[in-house]
Amino acid sequence: MALSVMLEQLVWPLAMVFAVLGGGVYLWAVLDGLAARSFGLPQAQSVWLTPLSRGTWLLIQQANSTEAPDLWAWRLAPALYLALAAVGLALVPWSQGWVATDLATSLVLWGSLEALATVVIFLQGWSANSHFALVGAYRYVALGLSYILISMFVLIGVALPAESLALTRIVASQQDVWNLVRQPLGLPLFLMVGLALTFRGPFNLADPRDLAGGTSVEVSGPPRLVWELARSAMLVAFSGIAATVFLGGWLGPWLPGPLWVMLKMLAILALLAWLGRWFAVMTPSRCLSLMWLILLPLAFVDLVWAGVVALL
Amino acid sequence: MAVGWLSRLAMRGPATVFPALGMHGEEALYRLAREPGITLVDTPRHATILLVAGGVPPHFHDSLRRVHDQLPAPFAALWYRSEPLLELQQPGSGKMDDLAALPDTIMDTCRRLMAGEQDTASRLLSDTPPHPWQGLGDDGHGGEGMMGGVPYGRPMAMPPTPDLRDGLALDILTFRLGPFFPLWPAGLEAEVTLQGDIVQQFSVLSAPYPRALPRVFLEAQKGPVAIAELERKRIRYHMRAFFHALRLAHLPDLARRALVLAEQCDSQPVEKLSKRFRAFERALARRGFFALYLPQGGTLDSEQSRTLKGFAARAAGVEDDVRQADEGYRRLGFSVLTQQAGDVPARWRQRLMEVEQSLGLIARAQQKGTVTAVTDVVELPHGAGSADGLLESLLPGLEWSEALATLASLDLAEVSPWPCP
């Protein structure tokens, strides 16, 4: 009895987390390749093979160093970012009783992960002891506060109809209507948080081209592989949370709950891949203006909207 | 066995190339940027191949050695129309002159490196700091308390100075960049002082290499040439400029489209070119090139505009164009197009307007077989003015990304006396 409970509540959910982390990162790379091809960028080989080739190339490549880096911090930062992504994915409920970490405050934990990601990304840029990496780190910290606030407003909005901060309760509250419909501003705003959290597309302030790669300008070989894996893993974790809080998580007809979650995550990832390639990158000042002057007030409107709907 | 399997997998990926451009090396860049099997990277740390394209002046050889040694192993250097560094001049040094064969050579070199059939290049410099440690303090911060010191011969990011925009005291960071920085004109070397993300000082140490123009612009100074041919080359020049800006804007697919359009200029019927150009123009607007990426700054004042000449001057309202004095152009209904703002978006809009104008001129000139009448001076695609001291006054106060966008919008190189190879 105890064994079956352990299997049901610990082993399988954790196995699911690691499987989705690995598979999700790979599928994200494939989706990004497909998006690139759809935008008219020819690929040298199959999009299914490219992530594997690239990964093995980085694995073979030398891990270089810079002059007097903070080596411990530099090597640790990608691993920490990956760990944050794994913790985030552990919060995603695959069905009513199938959650690796089912907390009454799982939404708060996700919020703290977003804040900690800012610290880890800054660490990656600062510890390289290189000017462009440092500027990328500064820029990301400047962006961090604004997107975290937007995320918090949006997530409090989805907690209101559920009257709970637990993700399982939030999914259950969408039995009749998904939050995507109930709070139409929520998902678009949250998608922008996802792009900012993983510094992609228009919100790529940390690793942009004008800084020749920003926080990863000096990184090569396996540490770069871990850093890129971590960025992708965080996006996978983000898609899990987005599918849970806006698309009804495991809810859906005919198919098993976990499959529904995965399909919804894939849809979010595909949308992010497309959005990330469609828009030009923003200048830092324009990005912050957009965040503070437009998106943050919109997030507040979303919260008021959610509160009024919850009261009615 | 496992390593062999990994190597075989790694060999199948695209070759990553850091282009270190010398004089007249741009053709290699434009060729490689269209190649699916090759990825151009912006830092040597992300590359397997160092491509030195074009001649590198001797005073930049030490800089080139430093770039060379930053590539992570396994790596190789290839020299396209360039003389290898003295210590690398040996048989099989990777020297080549054939542009058509360049992509295959790069991919083959990359494959052999991964397979272990070719040894990684050896380092040229010793892995020691360029200057001895001169700082103080147990933790190596370089001075008394938290201040002062010149560790490794470089001043620390001290002391704080007032910000140019809001007066907030922040640390400054001074560094040298170039001449192989791939995100600004080849050959440009500068000492940059950043305060956070803001350029506080910009001192040009070395101007960009002279830019080679298509042969027809030189021929037009000696005798009449077909206006259609001249305008086709002008379009090609502007579309290549878009390639650089669109890469900076994180729009690689549009950057590639700009290059493809540039390459089609010589051969495609003008109707097809016009259609593709209009689609490109619409894509620029839809994808946020103007609304999201381009900064509103980088404005040239009237004196700077007149000195710089060309499309940059016309974007600032200066009606200066040699073509208006040419009888051939007048017969085709040419009139000078201008804008007033003189800032970065205005310069890119000016280029778009002039490309569209050139397409119209080509269509009419082809029908009539019109040739140029004025032969002593030619309106060059990038103007022929002087850019001395321009960047020192234009860039301070801009954010770093805005400064690079401003640089990309200008053509600062002098015109080379020799045509494109």
Side-chain angles (χ1 to χ4, degrees):
Chain A
M1 181 65 182
L3 183 66
S4 67
V5 170
M6 201 168 86
L7 278 174
E8 180 73 21
Q9 295 192 357
L10 182 68
V11 177
W12 289 122
L14 278 179
M16 188 77 168
V17 167
F18 289 118
V20 172
L21 208 61
V25 166
Y26 174 70
L27 282 177
W28 158 254
V30 171
L31 284 171
D32 196 42
L34 288 170
R37 200 159 65 184
S38 74
F39 274 80
L41 285 173
Q43 306 291 300
Q45 58 174 345
S46 157
V47 291
W48 297 92
L49 208 55
T50 302
L52 302 175
S53 302
R54 187 172 160 72
T56 46
W57 167 62
L58 288 173
L59 209 56
I60 290 169
Q61 200 182 42
Q62 175 193 11
N64 63 278
S65 187
T66 56
E67 187 183 306
D70 187 334
L71 200 58
W72 275 99
W74 204 22
R75 295 291 182 249
L76 209 56
L80 287 175
Y81 195 29
L82 190 58
L84 289 179
V87 173
L89 201 60
L91 299 173
V92 175
W94 302 101
S95 67
Q96 179 72 49
W98 204 13
V99 195
T101 311
D102 190 10
L103 300 175
T105 53
S106 43
L107 214 53
V108 177
L109 181 54
W110 172 257
S112 67
L113 294 179
E114 288 178 354
L116 284 171
T118 311
V119 178
V120 169
I121 293 160
F122 180 79
L123 197 66
Q124 168 81 350
W126 172 81
S127 55
N129 195 23
S130 167
H131 46 271
F132 276 163
L134 184 65
V135 173
Y138 279 152
R139 279 189 189 174
Y140 190 79
V141 171
L143 174 69
L145 181 62
S146 55
Y147 83 71
I148 290 168
L149 283 174
I150 293 167
S151 176
M152 287 302 97
F153 277 136
V154 167
L155 291 178
I156 293 169
V158 297
L160 284 176
E163 296 179 17
S164 170
L165 295 168
L167 287 169
T168 43
R169 296 280 300 275
I170 290 172
V171 175
S173 75
Q174 299 175 76
Q175 189 72 48
D176 297 327
V177 56
W178 291 357
N179 283 331
L180 170 70
V181 178
R182 198 156 41 194
Q183 299 170 17
L185 280 175
L187 185 59
L189 287 169
F190 200 54
L191 288 178
M192 291 189 216
V193 170
L195 289 175
L197 179 66
T198 55
F199 36 104
R200 290 182 189 280
F203 304 114
N204 188 354
L205 297 195
D207 283 10
R209 190 140 236 163
D210 63 287
L211 297 178
T215 62
S216 51
V217 63
E218 301 285 358
V219 192
S220 67
R224 185 160 171 236
L225 176 62
V226 180
W227 183 244
E228 293 196 3
L229 282 176
R231 276 180 75 189
S232 303
M234 185 54 89
L235 204 60
V236 172
F238 170 83
S239 69
I241 298 294
T244 301
V245 299
F246 286 107
L247 303 182
W250 68 77
L251 300 172
W254 310 305
L255 300 172
L259 205 55
W260 269 119
V261 178
M262 283 187 216
L263 287 174
K264 291 169 185 177
M265 285 171 71
L266 272 179
I268 298 264
L269 286 175
L271 189 57
L272 288 172
W274 186 84
L275 284 173
R277 289 193 170 271
W278 179 262
F279 291 109
V281 72
M282 276 188 270
T283 58
S285 58
R286 193 169 281 155
C287 185
L288 290 177
S289 299
L290 177 79
M291 287 276 181
W292 287 101
L293 301 178
I294 297 174
L295 299 186
L296 197 58
L298 278 178
F300 192 68
V301 169
D302 176 69
L303 182 58
V304 172
W305 179 303
V308 170
V309 170
L311 283 174
L312 293 175
Chain B
M1 183 68 182
V3 173
W5 178 78
L6 284 176
S7 298
R8 278 199 296 278
L9 196 54
M11 277 158 51
R12 301 185 65 161
T16 47
V17 179
F18 179 79
L21 296 188
M23 278 189 263
H24 302 178
E26 298 89 1
E27 289 298 325
L29 181 75
Y30 300 135
R31 176 72 186 83
L32 296 181
R34 287 180 286 127
E35 195 62 46
I38 287 173
T39 304
L40 295 172
V41 294
D42 305 319
T43 164
R45 303 294 199 189
H46 296 176
T48 300
I49 302 291
L50 170 68
L51 176 72
V52 185
V56 177
H59 62 277
F60 285 151
H61 282 187
D62 280 342
S63 299
L64 187 57
R65 286 187 183 95
R66 283 196 290 275
V67 172
H68 178 276
D69 279 13
Q70 285 182 55
L71 272 84
F75 77 102
L78 292 174
W79 309 80
Y80 168 72
R81 294 191 180 176
S82 185
E83 202 57 40
L85 290 166
L86 206 59
E87 53 271 51
L88 296 175
Q89 285 180 355
Q90 54 202 338
S93 62
K95 193 180 164 193
M96 59 177 309
D97 294 329
D98 184 3
L99 185 61
L102 186 60
D104 284 344
T105 307
I106 288 174
M107 286 186 274
D108 190 51
T109 307
C110 211
R111 189 193 61 74
R112 282 190 287 115
L113 278 170
M114 293 297 156
E117 294 167 10
Q118 178 173 333
D119 291 337
T120 184
S122 47
R123 307 287 172 190
L124 304 177
L125 303 168
S126 63
D127 191 14
T128 51
H131 298 281
W133 174 256
Q134 295 172 8
L136 300 169
D138 297 335
D139 298 321
H141 50 67
E144 296 290 345
M146 289 299 291
M147 304 287 286
V150 280
Y152 299 116
R154 288 187 294 264
M156 295 182 74
M158 297 275 179
T161 51
D163 185 283
L164 288 172
R165 291 190 300 190
D166 53 19
L168 188 68
L170 294 170
D171 294 351
I172 56 167
L173 189 63
T174 300
F175 55 91
R176 278 186 179 201
L177 205 56
F180 301 109
F181 184 52
L183 301 169
W184 71 23
L188 176 63
E189 189 180 23
E191 187 170 271
V192 185
T193 299
L194 288 184
Q195 190 183 45
D197 205 9
I198 305 293
V199 178
Q200 200 174 55
Q201 281 181 352
F202 193 94
S203 308
V204 175
L205 304 174
S206 171
Y209 299 131
R211 184 81 188 262
L213 293 176
R215 188 175 298 277
V216 69
F217 286 104
L218 302 183
E219 286 170 355
Q221 292 173 29
K222 295 172 188 162
V225 296
I227 286 179
E229 193 190 352
L230 207 56
E231 294 306 310
R232 279 181 186 271
K233 296 295 185 195
R234 193 183 308 279
I235 295 173
R236 189 168 87 146
Y237 182 90
H238 286 314
M239 294 315 292
R240 283 180 167 184
F242 270 104
F243 162 75
H244 294 284
L246 289 165
R247 282 188 81 210
L248 273 170
H250 288 221
L251 294 170
D253 54 305
L254 283 187
R256 191 175 185 281
R257 257 170 84 175
L259 266 193
V260 171
L261 206 52
E263 297 316 305
Q264 290 173 338
C265 277
D266 288 339
S267 54
Q268 291 275 322
V270 68
E271 298 77 21
K272 263 191 184 172
L273 279 180
S274 298
K275 198 174 160 190
R276 284 179 186 164
F277 173 72
R278 279 195 293 273
F280 172 77
E281 205 173 12
R282 283 195 300 273
L284 286 182
R286 280 203 305 262
R287 307 277 294 276
F289 178 65
F290 288 99
L292 299 180
Y293 173 65
L294 290 183
Q296 295 300 320
T299 309
L300 298 175
D301 61 34
S302 56
E303 192 186 328
Q304 288 168 331
S305 309
R306 285 177 203 284
T307 312
L308 206 55
K309 296 186 178 174
F311 74 92
R314 293 190 287 276
V318 179
E319 282 198 35
D320 175 25
D321 195 318
V322 173
R323 290 176 289 180
Q324 65 185 328
D326 189 303
E327 183 54 34
Y329 276 98
R330 278 212 296 270
R331 279 205 303 274
L332 297 174
F334 174 82
S335 63
V336 183
L337 301 173
T338 57
Q339 292 193 83
Q340 296 304 317
D343 57 4
V344 175
R347 285 194 282 279
W348 287 113
R349 288 203 170 92
Q350 183 71 27
R351 285 196 201 249
L352 288 174
M353 280 164 46
E354 294 197 6
V355 168
E356 201 165 356
Q357 184 183 43
S358 294
L359 286 165
L361 289 170
I362 294 168
R364 292 192 291 278
Q366 278 182 171
Q367 282 174 358
K368 300 175 182 172
T370 318
V371 295
T372 55
V374 174
T375 55
D376 50 341
V377 281
V378 176
E379 182 62 34
L380 299 175
H382 77 331
S386 164
D388 286 347
L390 178 71
L391 298 180
E392 282 84 346
S393 59
L394 194 62
L395 301 186
L398 297 178
E399 287 178 2
W400 178 246
S401 61
E402 293 174 343
L404 282 194
T406 302
L407 265 166
S409 73
L410 294 164
D411 286 329
L412 303 169
E414 289 179 7
V415 178
S416 168
W418 293 281
C420 287

